[in-house]
Amino acid sequence: MKMKKKLIFAAAAIVVIAAVIIGAALLAPSGTQGAKEVTVTVIDQTQDPEKEVLNETFHTDAQTLSEFLQETEALDAELSQSEYGSLLESIAGLTQDMDNGPWLTYSSENNASCLAAGYCPAADDVMIEDGDAFVFTLIASF
């Protein structure tokens, strides 16, 4: 009888674990599957006057901003891994200095992840969709 109870308990535990895993996968945000267009503008505000370095539309199958940045060679983006996820180090020839500045920031007026948070979260968490537009800006101060 004890063996039967243990078996039932183990089976119930497996069902609960499977439900949690499936639920998490279904609730996780996901970008648009397949081909999409993403517009990128890169601005150097450390110049006087500020300089638009790049303004181009790219085609991609990437689902996250970090994946898009890594895959799009024309952006010449460099990312490193930090305790918070992917960290953008440089893009289109502009490089940040995390300790002393200048710093790279990014924003979007139409990306759902950025609009939902009120700001663009970490690049790993920004899910991209067809038609998204991002502005990357090198700034001297916050």
Side-chain angles (χ1 to χ4, degrees):
M1 190 67 158
K2 279 188 172 186
M3 183 65 145
K4 188 174 183 180
K5 284 184 181 180
K6 286 181 182 180
L7 219 75
I8 291 172
F9 179 74
I14 290 171
V15 169
V16 169
I17 291 170
V20 169
I21 291 171
I22 291 170
L26 292 175
L27 295 176
S30 63
T32 303
Q33 296 281 336
K36 50 194 140 303
E37 287 187 349
V38 176
T39 300
V40 173
T41 304
V42 179
I43 299 171
D44 185 351
Q45 282 188 349
T46 65
Q47 301 294 312
D48 187 24
E50 72 181 37
K51 178 182 175 186
E52 184 175 276
V53 176
L54 179 96
N55 189 342
E56 196 170 327
T57 300
F58 298 93
H59 298 274
T60 184
D61 288 334
Q63 289 191 298
T64 65
L65 182 57
S66 58
E67 185 181 334
F68 168 70
L69 292 170
Q70 290 169 338
E71 289 180 359
T72 309
E73 290 181 19
L75 291 175
D76 194 28
E78 290 184 32
L79 290 95
S80 64
Q81 291 302 309
S82 74
E83 63 184 288
Y84 304 107
S86 295
L87 174 66
L88 180 62
E89 298 284 349
S90 67
I91 186 168
L94 302 179
T95 302
Q96 76 172 343
D97 178 342
M98 284 300 292
D99 296 324
N100 304 309
W103 298 274
L104 282 168
T105 65
Y106 57 92
S107 61
S108 176
E109 293 183 2
N110 70 341
N111 173 270
S113 297
C114 297
L115 294 174
Y119 59 90
C120 287
D124 296 335
D125 298 330
V126 175
M127 308 310 290
I128 58 175
E129 297 180 9
D130 188 37
D132 279 351
F134 295 95
V135 177
F136 294 85
T137 308
L138 187 67
I139 60 173
S141 65
F142 284 96

